[in-house]
Amino acid sequence: MYLQLTGTHVRLLGSMHLFPSTSRRTPPWVAEAYDWAEALVFESDPPTILPFLKADARHGAAQLLPLLSADAWSQLQAVWPVEGALAPLVELRPWAALIVAPTLFQQVVEGVEPRMLRSAIAQAKPFSYLETAEDVAAALETIPLEAVGAALGLLMADREEPQRTLERMHDAWLDGDLQTVQRIAIESPMFNLPGIRHAILDARNRAWAARLKERLDERERTLVVVGALHLCGPGNLIECLAHPVEAVF
């Protein structure tokens, strides 16, 4: 979960972007990693994705109507925000609906990155990002429409699953147990649908690895903070880097 790229000044930290509201604990190795770093690298800057969430009428979430039961669509509409950047549902891109929908059934607090970012700003610690919001949107746009519809259908059939999965994953993450994090993820129905893992994890891992390889000769102690799922399973970031690593924790 906290790894040193051998022979470099770069470390990887597997994070959780959100914590369950019932357990706000952060393991000690997260603070240790932050203190070690002279510079931070995060995945992307979340607020910058907002302009990419909406689509014109032909490309919005209304495309999902034929792929969901009338009951599932009605339930989704009933819980969807009625104002703000995420409203209305029909104007969102299908992938945006997919990413947002599980969070509507979770009770969460902010995870690792917002806390680290605030500290970095307060302490004038340099930080940068592995990708732009445009990069993120382009990757998520590749998720097949059928997979989005299937995932939302599964979600509406078991609306408690996102919270269960989050709590179990957080417990495993606190223990630094990447294998269990991976096992929990693959037990989640959405995770196994064609195209979803590829877009959210695999394609981005390859792009990040190419960018990180350019930084391996830097002398500055650099902490790269990515979601824990990017560090486990086939095609993970460590595999894509093809560089030996040593566990710090």
Side-chain angles (χ1 to χ4, degrees):
M1 202 72 76
Y2 178 28
L3 305 163
Q4 173 85 43
L5 292 177
T6 304
T8 77
H9 292 87
V10 178
R11 290 182 177 180
L12 302 175
L13 178 74
S15 76
M16 288 197 67
H17 306 317
L18 297 170
F19 293 173
S21 59
T22 53
S23 178
R24 305 181 183 212
R25 281 198 303 133
T26 302
W29 39 269
V30 171
E32 177 191 320
Y34 176 85
D35 291 340
W36 170 86
E38 295 173 324
L40 302 170
V41 181
F42 300 111
E43 293 183 15
S44 60
D45 186 11
T48 62
I49 195 69
L50 292 176
F52 295 89
L53 299 183
K54 296 288 183 75
D56 59 49
R58 290 183 303 113
H59 299 101
Q63 296 177 90
L64 297 169
L65 273 166
L67 303 175
L68 287 169
S69 69
D71 183 54
W73 179 260
S74 176
Q75 289 182 55
L76 192 59
Q77 285 271 43
V79 299
W80 208 265
V82 295
E83 57 185 12
L86 301 178
L89 169 60
V90 292
E91 292 183 5
L92 287 186
R93 295 186 181 277
W95 60 260
L98 173 66
I99 298 301
V100 171
T103 68
L104 302 178
F105 305 104
Q106 291 174 324
Q107 291 76 50
V108 300
V109 294
E110 64 185 11
V112 171
E113 290 87 348
R115 304 176 192 207
M116 278 195 178
L117 183 58
R118 277 199 304 273
S119 296
I121 292 171
Q123 298 170 13
K125 183 175 289 194
F127 62 89
S128 59
Y129 298 101
L130 286 168
E131 61 191 353
T132 65
E134 189 171 9
D135 294 331
V136 177
L140 298 179
E141 193 69 42
T142 67
I143 300 175
L145 193 63
E146 293 75 13
V148 176
L152 290 174
L154 290 168
L155 171 64
M156 300 316 295
D158 183 5
R159 297 193 289 181
E160 295 179 358
E161 187 273 333
Q163 185 70 21
R164 285 198 312 270
T165 297
L166 178 67
E167 291 175 359
R168 293 175 63 210
M169 199 169 287
H170 185 253
D171 287 343
W173 177 77
L174 287 173
D175 291 335
D177 188 346
L178 264 178
Q179 286 188 332
T180 299
V181 167
Q182 166 69 3
R183 179 175 54 78
I184 292 167
I186 63 177
E187 290 172 2
S188 174
M190 288 175 56
F191 193 78
N192 291 301
L193 289 166
I196 292 182
R197 180 191 165 93
H198 173 78
I200 294 176
L201 298 178
D202 301 346
R204 295 167 71 208
N205 286 342
R206 290 196 293 271
W208 295 352
R211 291 165 190 156
L212 286 174
K213 285 177 181 178
E214 298 173 357
R215 308 186 67 150
L216 296 186
D217 292 331
E218 292 184 4
R219 306 305 300 169
E220 194 172 45
R221 295 194 305 273
T222 302
L223 180 67
V224 181
V225 184
V226 298
L229 286 175
H230 288 281
L231 301 183
C232 55
N236 66 65
L237 180 58
I238 301 165
E239 284 185 5
C240 292
L241 283 167
H243 190 102
V245 297
E246 306 161 21
V248 182
F249 174 84

